Amino acid sequence: RVALASELSIHGSPWPRSMLDHEHAFERGAGRPPRPHQTRCIRAVCAALSQDCAGHTPSNYLVQHATGSGKSLTIAALAHALTCMTDSRGNKFSLVLVVSDRSVLDDQLSATLERFLANHESAPRTERAESCKHLSRVIEEAQASISGTSTRVVVTTFQKTAVDRPDDGAEEEEEPVEAAAQSEVDEEEEEEEGTPAEEISPGKRRRLENGGGPCCEPRVAILADEAHRSHGRGMTVALHDLLCGCAAQPRNTCYVSFTATPSD
């Protein structure tokens, strides 16, 4: 199920009072006070993520955030909040992956996150995936951490998750994201029957073994910008393949997708 941020209740949340001061954290990171809709969004999503770990399936969320209303800062503030968060089952976030579909958005989000997190002394630094191989390595390192005591914040583009390049060359910006990911979908469907499973790492194996039931391991949050034009089935399969080596969404992974396109 995908829940809208406006549907989420922040009342009765077990969130510690010190962590509810999102306005202060936002102002420190951004250098200005947040707008009311930014505060409501961050608090609502965090409250939901603190509780959804008790369910038996992953939860995903859609945030309708108008263009020009500070969406990049909202994403930065949410990423920072997740680095400080512990859910109701004691799980922390080992990885916050911020993805977009354009190099100009990648530059903008990376710069915004770097400035925001730099203003919080205890916050982790922002990492930027330089290639598909680099992104895969960062994800595996983050998920290999059983303790989940520290959070890695990584900014990348959808294309780096969908295209398997033989080298570390520049990404192909003009290729549609869904087209880039389609080969991954075709390969997944061809291998569903009769293909021996390849050896997977311990981190990915834990993702598969914990496929259902309450979440009891370090978590992964995918903050997707402009999700309405980029995040389809092919892209989802490619992301899940990076995270756990199969098409199904890992239990410890949640999506918070941002879009400026309103729904009826």
Side-chain angles (χ1 to χ4, degrees), residues 12 22 29 33 37 39 47 71 103 125 127 132 153 172 177-179 186 193 202 218:
H22 293 299
H37 68 273
T39 302
K71 184 171 54 169
S103 60
R125 66 182 181 89
E127 301 179 63
C132 183
V153 179
E172 300 171 11
V177 176
E178 279 301 299
D186 295 339
E193 297 184 5

Side-chain angles (χ1 to χ4, degrees), residues 24 29 41 71-72 77 81 89 131 140 148 153 158 180 188 193 203 215 226:
H24 174 72
C41 171
K71 184 171 54 169
S72 294
R89 293 183 63 85
S131 66
E140 185 55 43
V153 179
F158 283 111
E188 183 73 26
E193 297 184 5
C215 186
E226 302 294 345

Side-chain angles (χ1 to χ4, degrees), residues 15-206:
W15 205 257
R17 182 171 297 275
S18 61
M19 294 303 297
L20 279 172
D21 191 10
H22 293 299
E23 292 186 8
H24 174 72
F26 188 105
E27 185 168 2
R28 181 175 180 180
R32 66 165 180 80
R35 300 172 185 175
H37 68 273
Q38 293 174 309
T39 302
R40 288 196 302 269
C41 171
I42 297 164
R43 293 181 66 188
V45 172
C46 287
L49 290 175
S50 72
Q51 291 295 296
D52 65 8
C53 55
H56 288 265
T57 57
S59 296
N60 303 314
Y61 306 95
L62 175 65
V63 179
Q64 295 178 349
H65 203 306
T67 301
S69 61
K71 184 171 54 169
S72 294
L73 279 174
T74 301
I75 293 174
L78 179 59
H80 171 257
L82 295 181
T83 67
C84 308
M85 178 178 170
T86 302
D87 67 25
S88 61
R89 293 183 63 85
N91 305 310
K92 295 180 179 293
F93 282 85
S94 62
L95 175 66
V96 176
L97 187 63
V98 181
V99 290
S100 62
D101 66 344
R102 298 285 188 275
S103 60
V104 64
L105 289 177
D106 187 50
D107 292 339
Q108 177 182 326
L109 284 169
S110 181
T112 301
L113 272 162
E114 286 176 2
R115 288 193 301 268
F116 196 101
L117 296 181
N119 289 331
H120 291 272
E121 295 179 359
S122 60
R125 66 182 181 89
T126 303
E127 301 179 63
R128 197 166 180 179
E130 299 172 354
S131 66
C132 183
K133 290 182 180 180
H134 182 208
L135 175 61
S136 180
R137 184 172 67 251
V138 169
I139 289 175
E140 185 55 43
E141 289 173 356
Q143 295 199 122
S145 172
I146 298 178
S147 63
T149 54
S150 61
T151 306
R152 298 183 74 164
V153 179
V154 182
V155 183
T156 189
T157 59
F158 283 111
Q159 287 87 347
K160 286 195 178 73
T161 70
V163 181
D164 186 15
R165 293 179 174 80
D167 53 39
D168 289 343
E171 56 184 85
E172 300 171 11
E173 288 295 333
E174 298 303 320
E175 184 177 10
V177 176
E178 279 301 299
Q182 189 58 44
S183 61
E184 296 287 343
V185 179
D186 295 339
E187 289 175 7
E188 183 73 26
E189 291 175 346
E190 290 174 0
E191 294 175 1
E192 281 181 357
E193 297 184 5
T195 301
E198 64 179 71
E199 184 178 349
I200 59 176
S201 65
K204 287 187 176 181
R205 188 173 299 280
R206 291 206 312 274

Side-chain angles (χ1 to χ4, degrees), residues 192-241:
E192 281 181 357
E193 297 184 5
T195 301
E198 64 179 71
E199 184 178 349
I200 59 176
S201 65
K204 287 187 176 181
R205 188 173 299 280
R206 291 206 312 274
R207 308 287 88 73
L208 295 172
E209 292 172 350
N210 191 33
C215 186
C216 55
E217 61 180 328
R219 301 178 64 180
V220 175
I222 300 175
L223 310 185
D225 193 13
E226 302 294 345
H228 62 280
R229 70 186 183 198
S230 303
H231 200 160
R233 178 172 179 268
M235 183 53 56
T236 301
V237 169
L239 280 167
H240 295 169
D241 182 63

